[in-house]
Amino acid sequence: MRTIILTLTAAFAATAAVAQTAAPETLVIQNARLYTMAGADGGLIENADIVMRGGVIVAVGQDLAVPEGARAADAKGRIATPGLFAPWSQLGLVEIGLDQESNDASPEGDYPHSASLDAADAFNPASTLIPVNRAGGVTRAVAAPAAGSKIFGGLGAIVNLSGRADSVVREGALQSAALGYAGAARTGDTRMGAWAEFRDAVEEARAYAANPAGYALRPRMTGLTLNDLEALIPAARGGQPIVVAANGAADLRALIRMKARYGLNVIALGATEGHLVARELAAAQIPVILNPVLNLPEQFEMLGATQANAARLHAAGVTIAFYDPPSGSHNLRLLPQLAGNAVANGLPYAAALAALTINPARMYGVSDRYGSVEVGKAGDLVLWDGDPLETASRPVAVYIDGRATSLTTRQTRLRDRYRDLSRGDLPHAYRGAQ
């Protein structure tokens, strides 16, 4: 077989066409300005080549030989990064937020189950939100239930955005809980009730794990079902991350105490006042998922909101990643814009890229597989037409597990369909005068 050297666009189109029908071939991306996210300053390599085979990165460097039979593409100096990793979403669980049938993000009313709810049971790889976010460079995401009437939301999964039936790559990757005022509102409208219920749940899950048969015979104080308690066992023992929504400095200090008391593996979600306790969070090794553009207090627990939050947390040594609650799962593709705003408010550029890639992988214990461009890791790669943190930049190619994926979305199809109103395949109302 001869080596095929193609332009970037041609290589992308060709590999995307066969990705769903053929075994992954050897792909070579040449002449990229690559941020590997391994090492200082984002692990930048100029004029980099990346070789991917069987979905895995097999070589990274400069002036690499193109293997026989490989399909190669010239990046022409474009910036390449690892695929973006969205650390918190309800992707694949919600299609239209206001339509009850297409929204599985959280249970309605006083539903009895909570911690045992499992995102993998409802995840829809055919969601139209997946190609939209993939076209923005997102290749991996956490899909997790949101808390309903109880403080625990349930089990989240790590998924890829290939759209394939086997998109769930790790079930039960995390447990979720709502504390702060979100927890207080679910437990007698007091934070004391929320933290008391959280403690009870951890202790009850441990007691159930120690003696399941005996525990089932005794009265339960938490209101959690046996299935909920069983689902909580990995988190209660510290072996599974718990993503805990908390914003105020007082709540974050309570979370630090809770981690120390029970040896939990916790991730703070929100942490709007995290900068006020940044050194304490760093010492406790609690990572933070935050919205870096918040600068106005939406609630009393957010009085300390500032756009310098991300920079101050990073400077203190806290591992950070980004999420955007208002746009949620529909606009994970806007995560680079959040990162750009964080850079404008003092966060180093390489740290912003890390918050989009390697940091979420570290938080969930999958950095040996995802989050950076290194030999042996999954071939998740994005090529950009400009600086990825600039609002005008877009991906020109997105690879997931070494396969080129389509950048076509429902929006691009509508754009293309109605761009030329003279086309005969349009409905009569759109063809002009007849």
Side-chain angles (χ1 to χ4, degrees), residues 385-407:
D385 63 7
D387 185 331
L389 303 192
E390 291 287 345
T391 57
S393 298
R394 295 291 183 271
V396 296
V398 176
Y399 297 89
I400 298 177
D401 289 325
R403 297 184 179 187
T405 61
S406 173
L407 301 185

Side-chain angles (χ1 to χ4, degrees), residues 153-344:
L155 298 166
I158 296 174
V159 304
N160 68 45
L161 275 71
S162 66
R164 298 191 296 269
D166 58 351
S167 296
V168 176
V169 297
R170 176 169 292 193
E171 298 183 17
L174 65 131
Q175 181 60 248
S176 61
L179 291 166
Y181 184 67
R186 292 167 167 82
T187 52
D189 212 32
T190 170
R191 283 173 169 79
M192 294 182 290
W195 289 110
E197 186 162 314
F198 186 83
R199 283 193 298 270
D200 283 349
V202 171
E203 292 173 359
E204 294 288 293
R206 289 182 170 185
Y208 177 69
N211 184 9
Y215 183 90
L217 300 176
R218 79 181 202 186
R220 298 188 295 277
M221 302 300 296
T222 62
L224 296 173
T225 67
L226 291 179
N227 284 339
D228 286 335
L229 289 173
E230 185 172 2
L232 273 176
I233 290 171
R237 288 176 165 174
Q240 181 187 63
I242 310 178
V243 178
V244 178
N247 284 296
D251 290 314
L252 293 170
R253 287 192 175 104
L255 184 60
I256 291 170
R257 293 194 298 272
M258 201 67 62
K259 175 178 180 176
R261 178 173 179 175
Y262 294 108
L264 304 177
N265 178 4
V266 296
I267 300 169
L269 179 69
T272 306
E273 292 190 342
H275 62 98
L276 299 177
V277 291
R279 292 182 180 178
E280 297 164 65
L281 289 168
Q285 298 183 324
I286 295 178
V288 168
I289 302 170
L290 72 149
N291 182 348
V293 300
L294 287 181
N295 69 337
L296 293 174
E298 298 175 356
Q299 298 173 273
F300 278 104
E301 63 184 17
M302 299 182 182
L303 290 177
T306 172
Q307 291 188 1
N309 194 19
R312 294 175 184 174
L313 285 166
H314 169 73
V318 178
T319 299
I320 62 171
F322 300 135
Y323 84 128
D324 185 7
S327 64
S329 306
H330 291 72
N331 285 312
L332 299 176
R333 60 199 172 99
L334 300 184
L335 289 175
Q337 293 186 26
L338 299 185
N341 277 273
V343 170

Side-chain angles (χ1 to χ4, degrees), residues 63-142:
D63 301 320
L64 299 180
V66 178
E68 174 123 10
R71 186 181 299 275
D74 187 355
K76 299 181 179 179
R78 290 183 174 94
I79 292 177
T81 67
L84 307 186
F85 193 138
W88 182 258
S89 78
Q90 283 75 52
L91 184 68
L93 304 181
V94 58
E95 192 75 17
I96 302 172
L98 296 179
D99 179 60
Q100 187 173 0
E101 182 198 357
S102 67
N103 188 343
D104 291 317
S106 63
E108 294 289 334
D110 192 19
Y111 184 73
H113 294 284
S114 57
S116 58
L117 299 175
D118 192 337
D121 292 334
F123 178 75
N124 176 21
S127 168
T128 60
L129 303 184
I130 288 176
V132 170
N133 289 307
R134 183 178 65 220
V138 182
T139 60
R140 306 276 160 178
V142 164

